[in-house]
Amino acid sequence: KMTDVMEKEKVKFVEGAQKKGIEKENAEDVFSVMEKFALYGFNRSHSAAYSVVAYQTAYLKAHYPAEYMAAVLTRNLNDIKKITFFIDECKRSGIPVLGPDVNESQMKFVVNSKGKIRFGLGAVKGVGEAAVEALVSERKENGNYTGIFDLTRRVNLRSCNKRCLEALAMAGAFDSFENTHRAQYLFKENNEEATFIDKAIKHANQVAGKNSMSQHSLFGETADSIIPDPKLPDCEPWSKMEILNKEREVAGIYISGHPLEDYKIEIDNFCNTTVNDLDDLKRLKNKDLSFAGIVTSAAHKTTKTGKPFGSLVLEDYEGSTQLALFSEDYLKYKHFFNKDSLLFIKARVQPRYHQSEQFELKVHSISLLSEVLAKCVSGITVQMSLSDISEDLIDKISKSLKKNTGLCKIKFAVYDTIEKTSIELPARKLKVDSADFLKMISLIPELKFKLS
């Protein structure tokens, strides 16, 4: 597959053939066949074997899609990039991928009774094979865990230690326990060093110690009833961004969602490219681009000559890219260089200075993704079919208008699919907050909208 090597071999081949009395033209024809095959060729038996495998995998994906994708995910358990790619493929195919759960997950990705894929515990960093084996075998033998204290009392804490339990909590594996949330497990009261998981482990060890000594009360009580369970801490739940960041920390990916999910309207209407496309700037030369993403890392630096500059890594659903700003551009936008910032960027691909064959991304503006609708939308046209109009729909629209008053103009477009006619009805007195109103009406399936 190395064309430069093949060129050298061609000279040797043709010269050698001519010495054997073969004409140059015939030798070149023969070599051209080998040259094409060298790009990526198979002999027939190899091709036949591949076609059988291709048929089998296609059959499995068509008839057992969830099971097939669970197997593919398990096959790539230790490759985060591939795991992300195949989870996106599951979403595209309409196969839900649920987060890890100590009462349902196995070591590998599995399909539950509802046909949904359950995240494998083995894909969570800090949860080793011995820990998963201890959790799953105990669950199979004695039933589901009812809570964190039930779990710590029953499971082997030498295999499933503090680090493992904290990783499980951060990944959401305890979410099925009633009346609890993830922040409680890692909460530290009054600036103590011990987390609540530390206390749960200590409590389990105390119960085990009492039971091993066979100390019973006069009424036949065991250590489980003598030592009451500690109370769960009263603390604020993590924000959505905190939850997603913790998931990424222990799983390498966002499990329960993506930071950009709340900005689908902005991305669909104002972005014309993705971060992945920026890998090939030559293809995008002289084009104006707009894209969005989350800042996963940012740095403020100084050049060798002492001038400040900054770099950030921006990530969207499909990939990530690094951007650097210098001089006035950096001074103008450096306040956006913060981890977890959700940004909307406008830029142009242009030739580098004195290097016309090389291209660079010249950033023209950076703004917060949350401000895009307020800044870019001056009018909203709500579209609806005549056949969908009902008292219930009108009531929903009315409530949306009352709850989201603002400065953005609004009008309604009603169309009749039977008569092929439509009418626009501008609202002279009503104006809305573009961001809040659009978020609300996007949840009403009968309505569509156009922005101006």
Side-chain angles (χ1 to χ4, degrees), residues 115-135:
K116 300 176 181 180
I117 296 176
R118 179 63 76 174
F119 208 86
L121 294 178
V124 180
K125 297 174 186 176
V127 183
E129 191 171 338
V132 178
E133 177 62 32
L135 285 163

Side-chain angles (χ1 to χ4, degrees), residues 156-392:
N156 183 344
L157 292 175
R158 283 175 295 181
S159 299
C160 194
N161 56 25
K162 173 192 170 182
R163 184 186 172 209
C164 166
L165 294 174
E166 286 182 345
L168 289 171
M170 291 163 69
F174 301 151
D175 286 1
S176 58
F177 297 156
E178 292 183 1
N179 303 316
T180 64
H181 57 79
R182 300 183 195 185
Q184 291 173 310
Y185 297 104
L186 277 76
F187 185 71
K188 297 178 181 179
E189 287 187 292
N190 302 320
N191 296 319
E192 295 177 356
E193 285 299 315
T195 64
F196 184 70
I197 282 179
D198 285 312
K199 294 179 181 179
I201 292 172
K202 183 179 179 181
H203 173 71
N205 288 330
Q206 288 175 338
V207 172
K210 288 281 186 182
N211 283 332
S212 66
M213 293 170 64
S214 301
Q215 291 185 346
H216 301 288
S217 70
L218 292 172
F219 301 99
E221 293 174 312
T222 63
D224 296 62
S225 55
I226 294 171
I227 306 175
D229 292 341
K231 288 186 178 180
L232 284 160
D234 183 16
C235 63
E236 286 293 317
W238 288 333
S239 66
K240 182 177 180 180
M241 186 59 75
E242 284 180 297
I243 287 173
L244 294 175
N245 281 337
K246 298 287 186 186
E247 288 177 352
R248 181 161 186 156
E249 185 180 331
V250 296
I253 58 172
Y254 301 116
I255 300 173
S256 58
H258 195 283
L260 297 176
E261 279 180 354
D262 292 337
Y263 298 94
K264 188 177 186 303
I265 295 171
E266 290 88 338
I267 292 170
D268 287 349
N269 287 276
F270 297 102
C271 294
N272 62 11
T273 191
T274 65
V275 165
N276 249 7
D277 290 336
L278 302 179
D279 289 340
D280 186 7
L281 292 181
K282 189 174 183 179
R283 184 177 59 84
L284 301 169
K285 62 182 179 181
N286 301 322
K287 287 190 176 181
D288 292 312
L289 305 177
S290 53
F291 50 95
I294 179 172
V295 178
T296 56
S297 67
H300 301 270
K301 304 175 182 179
T302 306
T303 65
K304 291 179 181 179
T305 57
K307 294 181 180 179
F309 76 99
S311 67
L312 60 81
V313 175
L314 193 75
E315 180 181 296
D316 63 6
Y317 291 103
E318 298 182 9
S320 63
T321 192
Q322 186 168 25
L323 300 176
L325 293 186
F326 300 86
S327 306
E328 292 179 6
D329 289 339
Y330 169 67
L331 295 174
K332 187 177 180 180
Y333 298 116
K334 67 178 183 179
H335 57 286
F336 290 112
F337 284 55
N338 300 305
K339 190 175 183 295
D340 295 335
S341 291
L342 297 164
L343 303 181
F344 175 69
I345 298 175
K346 288 186 175 182
R348 183 174 178 81
V349 178
Q350 61 186 35
R352 287 186 182 275
Y353 186 63
H354 288 321
Q355 294 175 306
S356 59
E357 292 302 312
Q358 294 185 16
F359 296 88
E360 65 178 358
L361 193 69
K362 174 66 175 175
V363 173
H364 290 317
S365 71
I366 300 178
S367 57
L368 293 175
L369 196 51
S370 58
E371 297 175 352
V372 169
L373 292 179
K375 288 181 176 180
C376 300
V377 179
S378 59
I380 301 171
T381 302
V382 180
Q383 302 168 320
M384 68 192 83
S385 171
L386 182 64
S387 59
D388 287 332
I389 296 177
S390 64
E391 287 188 18
D392 181 56

